[in-house]
Amino acid sequence: MKGTCHCGAVEIEVELLNGFADARRCDCSFCRRRGTIAVTARLSDLRVVRGAENLTLYQFGTRTAKHWFCRTCGNYTHHQRRSNPGEYGVNVAILEGVNPRDLGEVPWTDGVNHPSDR
Ligand SMILES: [Zn+2]
C-alpha cells in the first residue's frame, strides 16, 4: 500500500507483514510522546518512492532504532526496530485510506520494559 506524509514530500510503498493484526501502541519514552500506532513490514518490503532526501533520522539511547520523519511537516513515517532490526514499524496513519480510529482498541507494547533492555 501507499503512504504519504502530510505535506506529500515523502511517499512510501509498503507491503505489511501481518496487515493490521499486529497494530500496537508503545509506552516507551519516545513512543508515548509520539503517540502513533505502528504496524510491521520487513525491511525489503518498504520502499521510499519519493522524498528520501526529505527524511530526517532520529536516534537515541542505544541508537539501534532509526526513526524517520519528514523534515517539512514533521510526520513520522516509519522506523527500523530495535526489537527486530530486520523489521520496520510503520505509522498506520500515513497509509492511504486508513483512519486509525477504525482500528478501535489497539494493544500496547510494554516499551518501559523493552525486550532489548532485559
Ligand atoms: Zn511532509
Side-chain angles (χ1 to χ4, degrees):
M1 33 193 339
K2 176 182 158 178
T4 55
C5 67
H6 191 262
C7 74
V10 179
E11 179 181 329
I12 66 164
E13 182 66 38
V14 64
E15 189 177 329
L16 301 181
L17 188 58
N18 303 302
F20 298 99
D22 65 357
R24 290 291 181 277
R25 297 180 183 277
C26 173
D27 63 351
C28 82
S29 63
F30 182 59
C31 294
R32 66 170 62 185
R33 289 170 169 80
R34 179 169 63 190
T36 47
I37 300 167
V39 286
T40 304
R42 291 190 187 93
L43 294 193
S44 55
D45 291 338
L46 186 150
R47 194 166 60 92
V48 178
V49 178
R50 186 176 68 229
E53 74 288 347
N54 220 57
L55 286 171
T56 294
L57 175 63
Y58 179 65
Q59 294 180 280
F60 64 97
T62 63
R63 303 182 75 81
T64 309
K66 295 180 166 70
H67 300 271
W68 296 99
F69 297 83
C70 172
R71 72 169 76 228
T72 304
C73 65
N75 279 179
Y76 148 64
T77 51
H78 62 291
H79 74 282
Q80 188 172 357
R81 288 190 164 143
R82 182 160 74 112
S83 57
N84 182 349
E87 290 178 352
Y88 285 124
V90 181
N91 179 3
V92 296
I94 71 159
L95 298 173
E96 196 171 65
V98 176
N99 183 339
R101 186 174 184 170
D102 296 336
L103 297 176
E105 285 293 311
V106 173
W108 287 84
T109 291
D110 185 359
V112 174
N113 301 293
H114 194 281
S116 303
D117 293 333
R118 281 172 205 151

